[in-house]
Amino acid sequence: MSDSDSEVERMMERPPSSYGSMRSDDHEDDDDPDDALMQTVTVSLQTPAAPTGVQLFRSDSPETGITALTQEQSSTHREGAFLNELGHERVMGIRVADEADDACYVPRERQRRRAESQVMMEGIHPESSQSLPPPPEGVGLQSGIVHVTLTLSYIFKNIQQVLTRLNPAELLWFKRSLCSQYKHTFEFAQLEDSDVLDVVDRLLERCGKGEALHFAIRTLQNINKRPLADELKTNCKRAVVQYELRSSHTRRYYNLYEGTCRPGQQRFVSDVYAEPPVYVGGDRDINTEHEFHRPNFPTNQGTLIRASDIFRPLEGEDWVRTVLMTGVPGIGLTVGVQKFIMDWSRELTNQDFQFVFSLPGKELHLVKDTDHSFLEMLANFYPETKNIDFLDQEDCPILFIIDALELCRQPLNFKDNPEVSDPTTAAPADVLFTSLIKGTLLPRARVWITCHRVAAHKIPPEYVSRFADLKGLSDAKKDEYFSKRTKDPELGLRVLAHIKRSPALYNICQLPLLCWIATFIFERRFHRPEPAEHPPAVTTFYTQYVIVQTNRKIERYVGTGLEASRWKDSDKEYLVKMGKLALKMVLEERDVFYEDEIAALGLDMEDVTNRGGISTEVMREGGYARSGRGFSFVHYSMQEFMAALYTYVTFRVKGKNVFEQQIKNKMAKLLKDRPVCDLYKLAVDRALASRNGHLDMFLRFLFGFVTPGTEAHLRGYLLPQYHPAPKGMDEVLKYVNKKMKENASQDRCRNLEWCLNELEEGKNHR
């Protein structure tokens, strides 16, 4: 017998200290450990107590076996953690075996482990194990199929099997290389005298299952043992791909996109995420109506669930395969997907999915026009999935997330596209996507589609198992966001208190995007030594919001260079034309516009539907007066702001007053630098004549534009950089004070006071 064979035999006769945590049961009458080992295991998934790594309890002496049986028999306790079958850490009391327990248990345990190790030595292929069918109808997400190759015992034995084929010198070289490359995790002094079982134990104690495999494979490659590394990688293919996929997701999604990402200013999605409510099961037409601008929004919204439970069947519901989640621009759909993926990658939720793949809608057009298989296409997005051949197997539950479908340029022709059922069959990209959503391709896979409501019609309802709608943040969630986002909690509370002083601003912070912009703006202000005495200037905030949204569109689809970031004439014309449409709607007291109005103004339908943060499509709630698609601004206050923006910019640039007669306007154009009192006197009169106050907020926005702080933001965008300062404001103030004394309506006078406050506050916002 060779030295290496003696070493293998010696290790077989001594159970490692971590084996006890890998046992499925402790009965003496186990029928066949081989069957228990090589069978796909169905278990209840538990939420892990720790997101990273696993810890195994070892005895002080490597010759002492701590097993589940001796833990139950001993009376001595020690607090700690051990691994269940899935490798999840569970905190509980650990019993330490005494000598009597160890003496009576070790012989039987040796025999059991000898048999299990012998099975592994015979080289039975993992894919030959029996597979279980998909979860039956009604089974929740906390139970699912766990393949044997993902279990701790299988990974342990495969690493052990490979390392036992190293001679003593090579094993020492392995330990030195491991400690050298991962010196923050391992110390050579602790591994120098360790045998193979001790090394494997240390790997699984300090790292998770996937990371232990990664370290072992990389170290074998470093010591020129590539055949052994390839063998380990092949035998544990699923665990390796899962680990690499989790690492890829962590690199991609840990950081929250908030405008241009600058070094040292990244925000981590897990640190700032405030979960908005998700409703499922409600009436689709009502459920997709926009709630922010309708005070009488219906309460029949469906069932409230958490975003992490979107695939959990409700009572009386079948197995959920395809979920279509909609929401208005800025509601946080993409961030919600980020949080879902990060929680899966950190093994916090939805661990019944072996693999989660995100296919961003804005990147689907990058797929080449030539025919290719689904596996080839997936490898283009995730190189770590190259040559995988188990996605279509019953024991491989997976999730595909198609995020931001409104940005997808694929036609998605569900009616005429042929159906593909084999992931290795070459076909056009559009055919692959429609087949995946239909369920003919990878029918056991789950599909989660997110999109703005404008794009919901792209997916026929017969292919959707569940419709979900993402709503705005509640007041409690707003407070949570403002408290969490800043590194200084006290600063966050100051910003929150300041925003609450403006009810209009606090209300629109239902949109997470607006929460971010409000925090970004007021954080910088509160870093100054002088306190904020006045409520926030709402007009300045909305102006910054529109500018940031336009810049975000340019950054994402044009570039971030100096020339690329400049506003084009088309960007300016879009805002002016949308403002003109908004003014018409405000004067007519309506909040929905249609395709014919978009065409009449010369607006591009693609701009209206795809420019996020300004407008959104609304679904029919019982029929509109006109035919065709209906649209609205994301918030009624946004409609009033855009109307005031058009009114002010048109007057300042062209000298045109929207409240004057057309003939008088033609004469006024000859003098573009008109005093602003010509505009504001007529606007005040028109607002005071309104009985229901539908022009109150419009007038407040209009007054906010004339302040130096707001005008400074418009210069270089919608106003010339060196445009003359407005004239005639003293006369405007006198006129407003006069009207406040003359007007008997308390509500109208109160609004004029708000207009004056907006003037005063806007002076300090530069």
Side-chain angles (χ1 to χ4, degrees):
M1 183 179 295
S2 64
D3 294 339
S4 59
D5 293 337
S6 300
E7 178 70 12
V8 172
E9 183 66 22
R10 186 183 66 82
M11 287 184 291
M12 285 181 181
E13 294 178 355
R14 180 185 54 78
S17 60
S18 58
Y19 273 158
S21 63
M22 298 183 289
R23 297 194 61 195
S24 58
D25 58 70
D26 297 304
H27 299 294
E28 296 183 6
D29 55 349
D30 290 340
D31 296 332
D32 190 353
D34 296 355
D35 294 340
L37 174 66
M38 301 309 302
Q39 200 173 22
T40 302
V41 185
T42 304
V43 296
S44 296
L45 299 182
Q46 303 291 336
T47 301
T52 58
V54 294
Q55 183 178 0
L56 303 175
F57 271 90
R58 305 167 48 83
S59 60
D60 295 334
S61 171
E63 296 298 328
T64 303
I66 305 296
T67 65
L69 184 60
T70 55
Q71 291 166 10
E72 294 176 1
Q73 292 175 346
S74 176
S75 59
T76 306
H77 291 74
R78 177 168 47 188
E79 295 298 320
F82 77 103
L83 289 174
N84 62 8
E85 184 67 18
L86 294 177
H88 292 161
E89 188 177 77
R90 210 183 270 178
V91 177
M92 62 181 298
I94 301 297
R95 299 182 177 183
V96 180
D98 55 24
E99 295 181 359
D101 292 333
D102 188 37
C104 67
Y105 174 69
V106 166
R108 188 181 70 238
E109 184 64 11
R110 286 176 181 168
Q111 184 177 3
R112 172 184 171 84
R113 295 307 168 192
R114 183 196 298 269
E116 292 182 354
S117 299
Q118 185 63 32
V119 171
M120 299 307 307
M121 294 300 181
E122 292 174 358
I124 298 177
H125 197 276
E127 298 300 337
S128 65
S129 60
Q130 182 182 358
S131 298
L132 295 181
E137 295 182 355
V139 175
L141 279 183
Q142 293 304 313
S143 62
I145 301 174
V146 179
H147 197 267
V148 65
T149 60
L150 297 176
T151 59
L152 176 64
S153 58
Y154 181 87
I155 294 173
F156 188 102
K157 290 177 176 62
N158 269 271
I159 300 177
Q160 171 197 345
Q161 177 187 6
V162 169
L163 295 188
T164 54
R165 291 159 64 181
L166 300 176
N167 60 45
E170 292 171 339
L171 181 60
L172 183 63
W173 190 10
F174 177 90
K175 291 184 286 187
R176 285 188 181 277
S177 179
L178 178 68
C179 297
S180 175
Q181 187 170 4
Y182 308 105
K183 56 186 177 182
H184 297 293
T185 307
F186 303 100
E187 296 181 7
F188 182 69
Q190 298 177 349
L191 293 180
E192 183 176 7
D193 298 327
S194 302
D195 59 13
V196 169
L197 289 179
D198 294 325
V199 173
V200 180
D201 267 351
R202 295 286 184 183
L203 275 170
L204 291 171
E205 284 177 0
R206 302 293 178 87
C207 318
K209 295 178 293 184
E211 191 174 27
L213 273 173
H214 175 74
F215 285 178
I217 293 171
R218 289 291 300 272
T219 306
L220 287 170
Q221 292 172 345
N222 291 340
I223 65 173
N224 296 325
K225 291 295 180 179
R226 290 188 176 273
L228 292 180
D230 294 340
E231 177 183 337
L232 181 58
K233 190 173 183 179
T234 301
N235 291 341
C236 301
K237 182 188 297 186
R238 292 201 190 200
V240 171
V241 173
Q242 187 183 74
Y243 169 76
E244 292 178 349
L245 185 63
R246 292 185 194 273
S247 301
S248 174
H249 285 330
T250 302
R251 292 191 299 269
R252 295 185 188 193
Y253 299 112
Y254 81 100
N255 187 45
L256 186 64
Y257 177 82
E258 294 179 333
T260 303
C261 184
R262 296 177 176 84
Q265 298 181 6
Q266 299 93 336
R267 301 287 177 177
F268 304 118
V269 61
S270 300
D271 294 340
V272 302
Y273 181 73
E275 183 176 11
V278 178
Y279 286 91
V280 299
D283 180 78
R284 187 185 181 191
D285 293 337
I286 295 177
N287 196 31
T288 52
E289 183 61 70
H290 184 27
E291 67 270 32
F292 295 139
H293 67 284
R294 290 190 180 275
N296 58 344
F297 182 74
T299 57
N300 183 24
Q301 303 176 49
T303 304
L304 176 64
I305 66 170
R306 298 191 62 183
S308 58
D309 296 332
I310 58 171
F311 286 97
R312 182 188 299 277
L314 302 175
E315 185 176 357
E317 202 173 26
D318 293 335
W319 186 70
V320 179
R321 182 186 184 271
T322 306
V323 174
L324 177 62
M325 180 181 288
T326 60
V328 299
I331 200 65
L333 287 167
T334 298
V335 177
V337 169
Q338 276 188 259
K339 184 62 167 58
F340 184 97
I341 294 175
M342 283 301 299
D343 286 348
W344 178 82
S345 300
R346 297 169 61 192
E347 303 184 51
L348 298 178
T349 58
N350 292 286
Q351 293 306 293
D352 60 325
F353 293 124
Q354 286 184 18
F355 304 98
V356 174
F357 300 101
S358 176
L359 304 174
K362 66 179 181 180
E363 297 178 6
L364 296 184
H365 69 281
L366 299 177
V367 180
K368 297 180 181 179
D369 296 332
T370 56
D371 292 358
H372 44 264
S373 69
F374 185 81
L375 294 181
E376 292 172 344
M377 183 204 69
L378 191 63
N380 290 331
F381 288 96
Y382 297 95
E384 53 270 13
T385 63
K386 188 177 181 179
N387 298 325
I388 59 175
D389 53 1
F390 46 76
L391 287 186
D392 59 341
Q393 296 183 9
E394 292 183 355
D395 56 6
C396 185
I398 54 180
L399 169 65
F400 292 97
I401 304 176
I402 302 177
D403 182 36
L405 184 69
E406 69 277 0
L407 303 179
C408 177
R409 301 180 190 176
Q410 300 288 348
L412 297 180
N413 190 343
F414 285 89
K415 182 178 180 181
D416 300 326
N417 279 350
E419 295 181 352
V420 175
S421 58
D422 188 350
T424 61
T425 301
D430 190 58
V431 173
L432 297 177
F433 289 126
T434 54
S435 298
L436 176 66
I437 296 173
K438 284 181 179 180
T440 57
L441 178 64
L442 300 176
R444 301 176 188 86
R446 313 281 187 102
V447 181
W448 179 15
I449 305 169
T450 68
C451 65
H452 295 164
R453 292 166 185 163
V454 66
H457 67 278
K458 292 184 177 181
I459 309 297
E462 59 266 25
Y463 301 127
V464 179
S465 306
R466 168 180 286 176
F467 295 95
D469 201 36
L470 194 66
K471 301 296 183 181
L473 298 176
S474 62
D475 289 349
K477 290 297 181 179
K478 296 177 199 174
D479 298 352
E480 177 185 344
Y481 176 86
F482 285 110
S483 301
K484 290 170 59 176
R485 185 188 182 277
T486 57
K487 296 180 180 179
D488 181 3
E490 183 179 352
L491 177 61
L493 294 176
R494 291 177 63 192
V495 171
L496 175 62
H498 186 62
I499 292 175
K500 283 185 174 180
R501 298 175 67 184
S502 173
L505 183 56
Y506 185 66
N507 178 53
I508 66 170
C509 283
Q510 291 174 339
L511 293 173
L513 178 64
L514 291 174
C515 284
W516 162 63
I517 296 178
T519 308
F520 178 76
I521 292 171
F522 294 116
E523 269 184 359
R524 294 184 298 173
R525 186 177 180 196
F526 276 100
H527 281 302
R528 302 172 185 173
E530 62 271 12
E533 299 178 356
H534 301 282
V538 179
T539 310
T540 305
F541 172 77
Y542 274 74
T543 303
Q544 292 171 317
Y545 170 76
V546 170
I547 292 174
V548 168
Q549 282 296 87
T550 305
N551 288 337
R552 280 164 59 91
K553 176 257 179 186
I554 295 173
E555 289 172 7
R556 287 192 172 188
Y557 304 111
V558 181
T560 57
L562 180 60
E563 291 298 324
S565 61
R566 296 183 187 276
W567 283 31
K568 307 297 188 296
D569 291 340
S570 58
D571 297 317
K572 302 175 184 179
E573 291 175 1
Y574 168 77
L575 295 177
V576 171
K577 290 179 179 179
M578 288 296 289
K580 184 177 182 179
L581 177 60
L583 177 63
K584 178 184 177 182
M585 295 168 61
V586 168
L587 295 178
E588 295 176 0
E589 300 185 49
R590 61 187 178 93
D591 58 2
V592 178
F593 58 95
Y594 302 89
E595 292 181 83
D596 57 343
E597 295 177 283
I598 295 174
L601 287 173
L603 283 166
D604 187 357
M605 179 64 71
E606 290 296 321
D607 277 346
V608 175
T609 56
N610 292 334
R611 282 181 182 253
I614 303 296
S615 61
T616 182
E617 185 173 5
V618 295
M619 301 297 178
R620 298 178 179 277
E621 187 181 334
Y624 294 134
R626 301 185 188 183
S627 61
R629 297 159 66 183
F631 301 85
S632 73
F633 289 86
V634 294
H635 193 278
Y636 191 77
S637 60
M638 179 60 67
Q639 176 177 310
E640 295 169 308
F641 169 81
M642 294 298 294
L645 175 68
Y646 168 77
T647 301
Y648 185 77
V649 170
T650 303
F651 181 84
R652 293 281 284 131
V653 175
K654 300 180 178 180
K656 177 184 176 181
N657 190 341
V658 298
F659 299 110
E660 289 178 339
Q661 296 293 335
Q662 186 175 3
I663 298 177
K664 191 174 182 180
N665 264 323
K666 290 182 179 180
M667 298 176 60
K669 288 180 181 178
L670 300 176
L671 182 62
K672 293 184 179 180
D673 189 18
R674 301 174 61 184
V676 293
C677 60
D678 294 349
L679 171 64
Y680 283 91
K681 285 182 179 180
L682 293 178
V684 170
D685 291 342
R686 187 72 175 266
L688 292 177
S690 172
R691 294 184 178 181
N692 58 2
H694 71 284
L695 294 177
D696 283 357
M697 197 64 192
F698 163 82
L699 186 64
R700 181 176 174 183
F701 280 128
L702 192 60
F703 269 80
F705 277 116
V706 78
T707 61
T710 307
E711 266 221 345
H713 290 292
L714 292 177
R715 293 181 185 274
Y717 294 108
L718 297 177
L719 293 180
Q721 185 66 50
Y722 301 103
H723 202 63
K727 298 180 297 185
M729 278 306 300
D730 292 339
E731 188 174 347
V732 173
L733 293 176
K734 293 178 182 179
Y735 188 77
V736 171
N737 289 322
K738 176 185 176 183
K739 288 296 181 179
M740 290 175 62
K741 295 178 181 179
E742 296 176 354
N743 201 285
S745 173
Q746 183 178 0
D747 292 337
R748 302 289 81 76
C749 291
R750 177 61 176 168
N751 187 62
L752 290 178
E753 292 178 2
W754 279 110
C755 292
L756 295 180
N757 289 338
E758 195 70 17
L759 279 176
E760 183 65 24
E761 178 65 13
K763 296 178 182 179
N764 303 319
H765 286 73
R766 293 182 180 273

